[in-house]
Amino acid sequence: MQSAPLQVAGNRVTLEPGRSLRGEVTVPGDKSISHRALLFGAIAQGATTIHGMLAAEDPRSTADCLRAMGVAISPLGGRGQPVVVEGVGLDGLQEPGDVLNCGNSGTTMRLLLGLLAGCKGRYFVLTGDASLRQRPMGRVGHPLCQTMGASIHGRANGTLAPLGVNGCQLQGGVIGTSVASAQVKSALLLAGLGASSSVSVIEPSRSRDHSERMLKAFGADVRVNGDYNRHVRLTPGQPLRGQEIHVPGDISSAAFWLVGAAVTPGSRIRLPHVGLNPTRTGVLDVLQTMGGQLRVENRKQITGEPVGDLTVDHGPLGPFSIGPDLVPRLVDEIPALAVAALFAEGVSRIHGARELRVKETDRLAVMTRQLRAMGAVVEETEDGLVIEGPQKLRGAQLSSETDHRVAMSLALAALNAQGPSRIQGADAAAVSYPGFWQQLGRLQEAGGQ
Ligand code: S3P
């Protein structure tokens, strides 16, 4: 009898190449939208009901932190059951009796820093896992303290967790951010909700706008303008009211199947109901530039977010070029796109992507190291990668180096290598995509040889 092409043993996955990927995948709910639905629901008046919530480790960190501050939230991941958040109002979060643990989640820590900075008379300490404790928090703490009057303290001049937050009355202001980061922008908007005057955030280029869309839906006074909608102003005073939210599938999770099908011979994958917010669809633009066989159908809007069904087939691919303007629209998809570049005919270039060095891992360094272990030729630059394809890869002993998106991207390379690969730390995928490995096994079974 032939062995299964994918085997999971503890935190290790063994993958045999040579199968096509075929079938339909309902990807889990959008991670960014799930965090925001929990956070905004918690500080709204009345209940918020969330359908299609992502029941993964990152949003669980947000939910657990909110519960520790007295917010009732029904269990995440009850079979098809929506998650209900009983809002406590803007000033209703209680001082927790212990440290708030944000786990691996930068979104949890940065958005909470903004929200808690204005919780007058309460003290909070935020920490996270070894990766999160090394990630830069000054990009949020600095404008909160310098412009809005927040009090945040910690190692390295208050830029590294664990961080102590002394909640106080904040003031508004105009803040120009040096990086296009939705986490920074969202933290400042959350801080603005209770500030004494409006807060304006001006980004160097536009980051994902889920916070603006959802805050408006909850009733906040949020205005977006300026060239390329880079200026966002929130004027405090409007109460947030609980909402019914439908979370679309996460395009960042769909990206693994888009690239997986595009590079694996004989593959076809259909992905219904994926979020197509234009601030997130850079990966579709790149695949189209590469000549990828991609179709988008049934476009519609759900709770203020565009969605649609995607179908992708294997086919010949050309190279791509990603520069700083495009990076914010596909920042989390670069590891998967690096794998796509290996199988494309020509030289692909990514630059202006220095932000990848401060994600869950230094993704430029980690992807280069891991792909080289498969014999890949990858040039790592200060702010990007240069990859000439097509390349022949050999199966190898690989590691996620604890990074969920690295784990899933390496799987796509392993599927198209010569010989089996073993990925250590494959369990990291559960940070954003529980069930990823089982889903991959099903697609391989349906694909056959
Ligand atoms: C996120 C924003 C992005 C992204 C992260 C989620 C969000 O980070 O990489 O996975 O939910 O706001 P930055 O804001 O740091 O670019």
Side-chain angles (χ1 to χ4, degrees), residues 57-119:
E57 286 171 16
D58 265 15
R60 281 186 204 284
S61 295
T62 294
D64 287 343
C65 289
L66 291 167
R67 289 185 184 118
M69 294 184 282
V71 183
I73 302 175
S74 64
L76 272 57
R79 297 225 154 262
Q81 295 279 34
V83 172
V84 180
V85 183
E86 302 292 345
V88 295
L90 185 55
D91 207 34
L93 294 174
Q94 294 162 17
E95 183 174 272
D98 203 346
V99 171
L100 296 170
N101 190 348
C102 304
N104 189 243
S105 175
T107 310
T108 306
M109 183 168 285
R110 294 201 176 106
L111 270 58
L112 277 179
L113 282 171
L115 179 59
L116 302 180
C119 288

Side-chain angles (χ1 to χ4, degrees), residues 31-32 36 107 110 181-183 208 331-332 359:
K31 182 158 78 68
S32 294
R36 287 158 175 78
T107 310
R110 294 201 176 106
S181 160
Q183 295 179 355
R208 64 189 67 187
V331 64
D332 293 335
K359 293 293 178 189

Side-chain angles (χ1 to χ4, degrees), residues 424-437:
Q424 287 286 356
D427 51 345
V431 161
S432 62
Y433 200 149
F436 173 83
W437 300 108

Side-chain angles (χ1 to χ4, degrees), residues 125-214:
V125 181
L126 292 97
T127 193
D129 69 7
S131 150
L132 191 55
R133 292 197 308 274
Q134 287 175 30
R135 295 182 65 188
M137 293 299 143
R139 53 180 58 194
V140 178
H142 194 262
L144 281 172
C145 296
Q146 301 303 311
T147 307
M148 300 185 76
S151 169
I152 298 174
H153 305 277
R155 294 181 298 138
N157 220 1
T159 62
L160 292 177
L163 292 168
V165 182
N166 245 320
C168 61
Q169 175 61 55
L170 301 178
Q171 70 221 22
V174 179
I175 298 160
T177 61
S178 54
V179 280
S181 160
Q183 295 179 355
V184 173
K185 173 175 63 179
S186 305
L188 298 172
L189 295 177
L190 280 166
L193 286 169
S196 54
S197 60
S198 63
V199 60
S200 295
V201 184
I202 304 171
E203 299 191 278
S205 58
R206 190 184 197 193
S207 65
R208 64 189 67 187
D209 68 351
H210 305 299
S211 291
E212 294 91 305
R213 289 171 186 252
M214 204 187 289

Side-chain angles (χ1 to χ4, degrees), residues 23-26 268-272 297-298 309-312:
E24 179 167 302
V25 184
T26 302
R268 163 176 281 193
I269 301 181
R270 201 177 108 83
L271 302 154
E297 293 161 310
N298 301 326
D309 302 341
L310 305 176
T311 307
V312 61

